[in-house]
Amino acid sequence: MNEDDVCSDTDEICVSSIFLEGEDINMSISHAADSIGLKEIPRYEVKIIEEDDWMKGAQESFHPVEVTEGLWVVPKWITPPDIQAMNIILNPGLAFGTGDHPTTKLCLLLLHDCIKGGEHILDYGTGTGILAIAALKFGAAFAVGVDIDSQAIASASENATLNNIEPDKLQLHLIASQTSSSCRDDWPSRVVEGENAFEIDRVTHKDKYDVVIANILLNPLLNLADQIIFSAKPGAIIGLSGILSEQVQNILQKYSLFLEGIEVSKMDDWACVSGRKRKNIDIC
């Protein structure tokens, strides 16, 4: 989405989207317009982009990121600027989480500060696996990453290998949904495919994790609140991000009954809410 550079009219917002070849673009845009109550389909133009050019452009936009002193996120095709630093090597593919977005940075900083060694971590919406991988590099003993996107799981698995994460240290679960499907035989040994949308119940055992991190979006954070709290040990650290600063109040209203010592960190217009699970609550 672009409000400044592409559109000369400041009252307009330009949206760019990638479609599969042969897809009915007019129908897709019509559905999108209907979903937000537009009476007319917005004007649009279609450009054919070669896949190699798109991938090259994506790679050129991904540069090494210094999250904090001594902690870098580095594309796999670039030599780390500081070979003595803790370098998280990534090939993002089509998944979210390159270390450049403020919410990813906020979550990395939270994990950097709270992990002391030996923790069990749950990463909701793992994307590229960057947070689970970082947690293990910081000293966590074991991590589980879950996502509904098969491309994210594939990316996270590759990135775990790039960072020499042993399969018994990181387990990745594809949580099946109406739009996610895959072939079980294609997955590496660290990946466990969900059988249905309720598979998450078998991944998030009650009171299992010392740290639960969820860098997703506002509505999933609200809808999954019981599940997120359920999986954390009493006293566990819970980090919630993927939200704008203006949405923090929604999170506080939902989670304040479950968390104590709540803190809010912000970067640009984005925020991360964290706290410890209260010891005297009962989630069924």
Side-chain angles (χ1 to χ4, degrees):
M1 296 176 58
N2 195 314
E3 299 183 53
D4 301 317
D5 299 335
V6 178
C7 300
S8 57
D9 188 340
T10 56
D11 291 333
E12 294 183 340
I13 295 176
C14 295
V15 179
S16 297
S17 183
I18 297 172
F19 293 88
L20 294 174
E21 187 176 1
E23 187 168 349
D24 189 337
I25 296 176
N26 193 69
M27 181 64 72
S28 296
I29 294 177
S30 177
H31 285 321
D34 287 343
S35 72
I36 58 173
L38 292 181
K39 296 180 179 179
E40 298 181 359
I41 296 178
R43 68 180 186 274
Y44 65 90
E45 61 177 329
V46 178
K47 297 179 180 179
I48 305 299
I49 301 174
E50 294 296 330
E51 184 175 353
D52 288 344
D53 292 341
W54 180 82
M55 289 299 293
K56 181 180 178 182
Q59 289 187 355
E60 289 175 349
S61 67
F62 181 20
H63 304 287
V65 176
E66 187 176 23
V67 179
T68 188
E69 185 176 358
L71 174 61
W72 286 81
V73 180
V74 184
K76 77 169 188 177
W77 53 86
I78 294 179
T79 302
D82 182 0
I83 60 174
Q84 302 298 323
M86 180 179 290
N87 292 297
I88 301 171
I89 310 301
L90 285 187
N91 181 17
L94 298 178
F96 174 79
T98 63
D100 191 44
H101 195 273
T103 61
T104 309
K105 289 181 180 177
L106 289 169
C107 290
L108 286 170
L109 291 171
L110 174 63
L111 292 172
H112 184 264
D113 290 342
C114 76
I115 292 178
K116 307 304 180 185
E119 294 88 349
H120 284 214
I121 311 295
L122 177 62
D123 179 13
Y124 258 89
T126 193
T128 61
I130 182 173
L131 299 181
I133 291 168
L136 292 168
K137 288 201 168 195
F138 295 154
F142 178 70
V144 170
V146 300
D147 209 293
I148 62 171
D149 185 352
S150 61
Q151 292 174 329
I153 293 295
S155 175
S157 181
E158 178 187 352
N159 290 324
T161 301
L162 287 173
N163 288 274
N164 300 313
I165 302 297
E166 298 175 2
D168 63 342
K169 295 287 188 181
L170 173 59
Q171 191 175 88
L172 299 169
H173 290 262
L174 175 65
I175 305 304
S177 69
Q178 292 179 346
T179 58
S180 66
S181 62
S182 62
C183 177
R184 185 184 300 272
D185 294 338
D186 292 339
W187 294 120
S189 59
R190 73 172 83 245
V191 179
V192 178
E193 183 183 3
E195 296 178 357
N196 54 61
F198 298 100
E199 177 72 17
I200 190 67
D201 294 330
R202 293 188 282 276
V203 175
T204 56
H205 303 291
K206 184 176 182 180
D207 298 345
K208 178 176 181 179
Y209 298 97
D210 303 290
V211 179
V212 178
I213 194 85
N215 184 20
I216 41 180
L217 294 168
L218 176 64
N219 285 338
L221 286 174
L222 297 178
N223 294 335
L224 292 168
D226 288 349
Q227 196 68 252
I228 290 171
I229 298 298
F230 174 88
S231 61
K233 292 179 180 178
I237 293 175
I238 295 176
L240 310 163
S241 195
I243 56 172
L244 294 164
S245 296
E246 64 192 43
Q247 297 172 329
V248 166
Q249 194 57 42
N250 301 78
I251 295 297
L252 295 179
Q253 184 175 358
K254 183 71 174 182
Y255 282 87
S256 59
L257 292 176
F258 308 124
L259 301 179
E260 58 187 5
I262 294 176
E263 296 183 1
V264 179
S265 55
K266 296 182 180 181
M267 187 177 295
D268 298 334
D269 294 326
W270 299 89
C272 176
V273 176
S274 62
R276 290 188 177 273
K277 178 180 175 179
R278 295 181 184 274
K279 297 183 179 181
N280 298 317
I281 60 173
D282 185 22
I283 302 288
C284 297

